[in-house]
């Protein structure tokens, strides 16, 4: 009996470790553009404009571009709406936490700007997706939160 | 006898010579006085005429029109001269982008687009969504160089810009009276002038809105916008600041902002920003 239990345990451990390995092998490595475009195409967004190095730091305060391997950020071109997609791939896993703080600050900025200006947009801001997966950090403000979130996460 | 006659002749001749030289002196003095009089009249006349002179009267509709030779001219409102400055600024040679290297564009969400689309990368932009004439001086909606949240005037002061382009009023047209907006605008100008004593100011008229936007709004209308812009021109004159009629550059033939270039009726796409900045580059001071 003891031998059976030991064998079962051993097989379980081996099976689990194999699963973990296979999970790592299956993890995708999409470009941030692929992820951002998948989100953009998943549901309706108001007209979006892509940010670049010359203007991202005035919207994502505290962003450290040297810690970022690549990013794709779309913001609303209309000053009256808050739709946004921000996908960041960090160089190091350790930088993910700092980037999440920057993104949270961005969400707060949008909240402060719109709470009195266009209050009907605040619901979207409050339900913003802020998450990370591996070295990726993603931030989505959308009318259809669940669809957009699913579109992003299916890429990883 | 002949000697007497000769003496008499000599005396007469002397008298004649003296009379002639006196007359000549008098004549010269008269000429000098006359010239002095002319100079005085001219000087007095030109001094009196540093007041406003209406040089052109344009129709009420603010739209661009073509002359016979096909060149676009500005139309709308009065064109006036104060000293040697035209109101609004007339077209001049397009400035190099370097002219804007010490310039800052200040305003609300409309102005943020200049930064968003990198329309003129040499200039700075200090603007935030939602700011209006009532909150401009107090709301900490932008960041300074240290990343601290500050008001727009504080951020502008830190830049030390030599040219300040101001566009405010779109936020406010919907609920404020033109009179109170202009009053608030003066307090904004007073603060910016105090903080930036060496800067020159370009006050920009606010853009039109689409017909649909007007139809949905209670108070927001192109008519009210034009009324505000007309008062703004006078405010710029009063404060001896330049006035750039951006409205005229962006309005379409029907007197509204074209719906093809605006999704929400107020903000517009990147091509319009190009038009805006090109207009600004072609309407600058001739002196500084």
């Amino acid at each position: 009996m003891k031998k059976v239990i030991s064998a079962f345990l051993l097989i379980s451990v081996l099976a689990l470790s194999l699963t973990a390995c296979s999970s790592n092998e299956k993890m995708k490595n999409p470009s941030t553009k692929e992820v951002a475009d998948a989100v953009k195409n998943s549901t309706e967004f108001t007209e979006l404009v892509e940010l670049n190095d010359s203007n991202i730091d005035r919207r994502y305060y505290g962003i450290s571009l040297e810690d970022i391997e690549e990013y794709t950020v779309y913001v609303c071109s209309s000053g009256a709406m808050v739709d946004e997609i921000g996908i960041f791939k960090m160089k190091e896993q350790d930088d993910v936490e700092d980037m999440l703080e920057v993104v949270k600050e961005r969400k707060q900025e949008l909240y402060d700007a719109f709470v009195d200006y266009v209050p009907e947009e605040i619901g979207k801001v409050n339900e913003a997706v802020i998450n990370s997966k591996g070295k990726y950090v993603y931030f989505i403000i959308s009318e259809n939160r669940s669809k957009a979130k699913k579109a992003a996460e299916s890429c990883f | 006898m002949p000697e007497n006659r000769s003496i008499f002749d000599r005396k007469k001749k002397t008298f004649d010579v003296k009379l002639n030289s006196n007359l000549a002196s008098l004549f010269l003095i008269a000429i000098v006085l006359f010239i002095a009089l002319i100079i005085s009249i001219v000087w007095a006349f030109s001094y009196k005429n540093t007041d406003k002179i209406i040089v052109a009267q344009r129709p009420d509709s603010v739209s661009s029109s073509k002359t016979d030779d096909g060149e676009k001219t500005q139309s709308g409102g009065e064109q006036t001269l104060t000293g040697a400055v035209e109101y609004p600024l007339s077209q001049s040679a397009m400035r190099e982008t370097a002219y804007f290297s010490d310039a800052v564009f200040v305003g609300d969400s409309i102005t943020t687009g200049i930064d968003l689309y990198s329309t003129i990368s040499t200039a700075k932009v200090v603007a935030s969504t939602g700011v209006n004439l009532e909150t401009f001086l107090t709301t900490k909606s932008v960041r300074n160089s240290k990343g601290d949240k500050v008001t727009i005037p504080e951020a502008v002061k830190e830049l030390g810009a030599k040219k300040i382009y101001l566009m405010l009023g779109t936020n406010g047209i919907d609920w404020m009276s033109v009179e109170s907006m202009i009053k608030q605008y003066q307090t904004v100008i007073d603060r910016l002038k105090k903080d930036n004593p060496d800067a020159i100011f370009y006050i920009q008229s606010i853009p039109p809105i689409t017909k649909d936007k007007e139809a949905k709004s209670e108070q927001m209308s192109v008519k009210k916008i034009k009324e505000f812009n007309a008062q703004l021109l006078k405010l710029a004159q009063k404060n001896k600041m330049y006035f750039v009629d951006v409205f005229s550059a962006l309005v379409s033939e029907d007197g509204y902002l074209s719906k093809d270039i605006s999704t929400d009726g107020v903000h517009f796409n990147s091509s319009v920003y190009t038009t805006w900045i090109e207009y600004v580059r072609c309407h600058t001071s001739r002196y500084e």
Side-chain angles (χ1 to χ4, degrees):
Chain A
M1 191 59 186
K2 276 187 188 175
K3 280 183 185 175
V4 170
I5 293 168
S6 301
F8 177 76
L9 281 171
L10 183 63
I11 289 164
S12 303
V13 167
L14 281 170
L16 276 169
S17 60
L18 277 171
T19 310
C21 284
S22 59
S23 293
N24 286 336
E25 282 169 15
K26 281 183 188 169
M27 190 168 169
K28 298 172 196 169
N29 190 26
S31 69
T32 54
K33 187 90 168 58
E34 279 177 66
V35 180
D37 287 351
V39 173
K40 197 164 77 155
N41 296 327
S42 69
T43 183
E44 269 201 52
F45 281 92
T46 50
E47 209 173 298
L48 298 172
V49 173
E50 191 169 350
L51 295 186
N52 53 53
D53 285 0
S54 71
N55 54 27
I56 192 169
D57 58 343
R58 285 185 286 289
R59 287 157 178 84
Y60 284 75
Y61 288 105
I63 193 168
S64 183
L65 291 175
E66 57 265 25
D67 295 335
I68 298 175
E69 187 175 309
E70 58 175 277
Y71 69 88
T72 303
V73 178
Y74 294 120
V75 299
C76 196
S77 63
S78 166
M81 305 194 70
V82 291
D83 292 10
E84 191 150 323
I85 304 169
I87 314 294
F88 307 86
K89 186 179 179 187
M90 311 309 289
K91 287 180 181 168
E92 304 294 337
Q93 187 67 45
D94 289 344
D95 297 323
V96 165
E97 279 308 312
D98 287 344
M99 191 63 221
L100 281 167
E101 289 308 309
V102 169
V103 168
K104 284 172 190 168
E105 189 63 35
R106 171 63 178 163
K107 178 188 167 185
Q108 187 62 46
E109 293 275 338
L110 288 169
Y111 180 91
D112 293 341
F114 280 81
V115 65
D116 294 321
Y117 182 51
V118 190
E120 52 266 35
E121 289 286 292
I122 283 305
K124 272 197 252 177
V125 179
N126 287 335
E127 293 190 8
V129 175
I130 300 180
N131 216 335
S132 66
K133 182 85 174 179
K135 293 181 187 176
Y136 294 90
V137 172
Y138 52 104
F139 171 54
I140 306 166
I141 298 182
S142 166
E143 190 68 49
N144 198 327
R145 182 190 193 273
S146 57
K147 252 192 184 174
K149 182 171 184 273
K150 203 171 168 183
E153 291 171 350
S154 67
C155 294
F156 300 123
Chain B
M1 275 307 230
E3 284 178 24
N4 288 339
R5 275 185 75 181
S6 167
I7 290 168
F8 177 77
D9 282 344
R10 278 201 298 275
K11 279 188 179 170
K12 185 174 180 299
K13 197 173 179 183
T14 307
F15 175 77
D16 283 344
V17 168
K18 273 190 185 168
L19 182 64
N20 284 341
S21 69
N22 285 340
L23 277 173
S25 302
L26 278 171
F27 185 69
L28 274 170
I29 290 166
I31 296 258
V32 167
L33 284 173
F34 181 73
I35 291 169
L37 182 65
I38 297 295
I39 290 169
S40 304
I41 290 169
V42 169
W43 175 78
F45 188 75
S46 63
Y47 178 78
K48 189 175 177 183
N49 282 315
T50 49
D51 292 338
K52 283 183 285 188
I53 302 169
I54 307 292
V55 295
Q57 195 80 25
R58 294 182 292 185
D60 279 342
S61 63
V62 183
S63 60
S64 44
S65 60
K66 288 183 189 272
T67 59
D68 288 341
D69 62 4
E71 277 186 345
K72 222 172 186 185
T73 58
Q74 301 306 317
S75 61
E78 290 179 0
Q79 190 175 19
T80 60
L81 265 178
T82 297
V85 177
E86 296 163 311
Y87 284 86
L89 277 171
S90 61
Q91 192 164 341
S92 52
M94 184 179 260
R95 290 279 194 169
E96 297 292 329
T97 54
Y99 178 80
F100 299 90
S101 60
D102 57 359
V104 60
F105 286 83
V106 180
D108 51 33
S109 55
I110 294 176
T111 300
T112 62
I114 298 175
D115 177 59
L116 185 63
Y117 296 112
S118 303
T119 320
I120 178 136
S121 54
T122 45
K124 297 280 188 294
V125 177
V126 179
S128 64
T129 298
V131 77
N132 60 56
L133 285 162
E134 288 175 334
T135 61
F136 183 83
L137 296 177
T138 52
T139 300
K140 296 190 180 196
S141 56
V142 293
R143 304 264 181 167
N144 63 12
S145 59
K146 292 179 190 168
D148 303 322
K149 273 199 154 180
V150 296
T151 63
I152 289 179
E154 285 168 336
V156 171
K157 185 179 178 181
E158 193 191 24
L159 288 175
K162 293 291 179 269
K163 298 156 190 122
I164 297 178
Y165 282 84
L166 193 51
M167 181 184 278
L168 288 170
T170 298
N171 291 333
I173 275 281
D174 215 8
W175 72 88
M176 294 173 77
S177 68
V178 169
E179 189 188 341
S180 60
M181 288 174 76
I182 293 296
K183 202 172 160 188
Q184 281 296 126
Y185 214 111
Q186 182 64 62
T187 62
V188 165
I189 283 175
D190 290 341
R191 171 63 186 276
L192 290 173
K193 263 169 66 175
K194 185 183 163 203
D195 287 350
N196 306 275
D198 298 331
I200 61 170
F201 285 76
Y202 287 94
I203 307 296
Q204 302 174 95
S205 56
I206 61 172
I209 54 175
T210 61
K211 205 182 265 189
D212 288 344
K213 182 66 181 177
E214 183 180 90
K216 288 176 196 168
S217 304
E218 281 187 25
Q219 287 197 55
M220 209 171 189
S221 67
V222 165
K223 186 181 171 195
K224 191 174 177 187
I225 287 171
K226 281 160 66 177
E227 191 189 323
F228 171 73
N229 285 338
Q231 293 303 316
L232 199 58
L233 182 149
K234 290 178 183 169
L235 190 74
Q237 276 179 305
K238 179 184 155 195
N239 287 274
K240 292 183 170 44
M241 294 174 171
Y242 298 109
F243 186 80
V244 186
D245 192 10
V246 175
F247 178 103
S248 66
L250 305 187
V251 74
S252 56
E253 295 286 336
D254 66 353
Y256 291 90
L257 187 70
S258 169
K259 62 179 182 181
D260 297 333
I261 52 172
S262 174
T263 47
D264 67 354
V266 174
H267 302 88
F268 29 82
N269 65 26
S270 60
S271 66
V272 182
Y273 281 89
T274 303
T275 304
W276 172 3
I277 294 301
E278 277 181 2
Y279 183 87
V280 162
R281 288 177 65 184
C282 292
H283 293 77
T284 57
S285 164
R286 296 173 199 280
Y287 312 106
E288 50 194 339

